[in-house]
């Protein structure tokens, strides 16, 4: 089995920064794309940023100036650095990881449980 656990969410004032982390563990043979998605209250889930194993990045145009995605392939971890946060960034942030499972030899798309980011005074 594999699991994905996020951390780093919380309450931050407008203009502040947060760094989210997401670590995959379990019977992992290989990890391909890792990414962050978010879902604000009353809205659909949207893509924030994704990063491939070799470091190719795709980030939402509206967030490129403030959000940075990175990963550590040794630690099976993806990060999301969020700067100059705005109230409209308030959402549950989900990690998404594409994993080739070690013993079943199949690709799995695994979601984390989500971490809440609240941007407010």
């Amino acid at each position: 089995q594999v699991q994905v656990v996020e951390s780093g969410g919380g309450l931050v004032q407008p203009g502040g920064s947060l760094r989210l982390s997401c670590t995959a563990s379990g019977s992992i043979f290989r990890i391909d794309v890792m990414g962050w998605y978010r879902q604000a209250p009353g809205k659909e889930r949207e893509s924030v940023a994704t990063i491939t194993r070799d470091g190719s990045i795709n980030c939402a145009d509206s967030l490129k100036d403030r959000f940075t995605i990175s990963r550590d392939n040794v630690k099976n971890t993806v990060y999301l650095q969020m700067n100059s946060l705005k109230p409209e960034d308030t959402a549950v942030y989900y990690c998404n990881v594409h994993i080739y499972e070690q013993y079943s030899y199949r690709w799995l798309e695994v979601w984390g449980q989500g971490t809440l980011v609240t941007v407010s005074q």
Side-chain angles (χ1 to χ4, degrees), residues 31-87:
I31 296 177
D32 191 5
V33 178
M34 306 181 83
W36 291 97
Y37 294 74
R38 69 182 184 181
Q39 187 166 17
K43 295 187 177 181
E44 294 186 353
R45 189 174 298 189
E46 63 177 353
S47 176
V48 174
T50 60
I51 183 169
T52 64
R53 184 173 182 82
D54 63 2
S56 296
I57 291 172
N58 191 342
C59 185
D61 288 339
S62 62
L63 302 175
K64 283 181 179 178
D65 292 340
R66 299 187 293 119
F67 288 15
T68 303
I69 190 171
S70 60
R71 66 188 279 174
D72 184 329
N73 290 330
V74 174
K75 296 181 179 179
N76 291 337
T77 298
V78 62
Y79 305 97
L80 185 67
Q81 178 67 43
M82 305 184 294
N83 299 326
S84 302
L85 282 162
K86 305 175 181 180

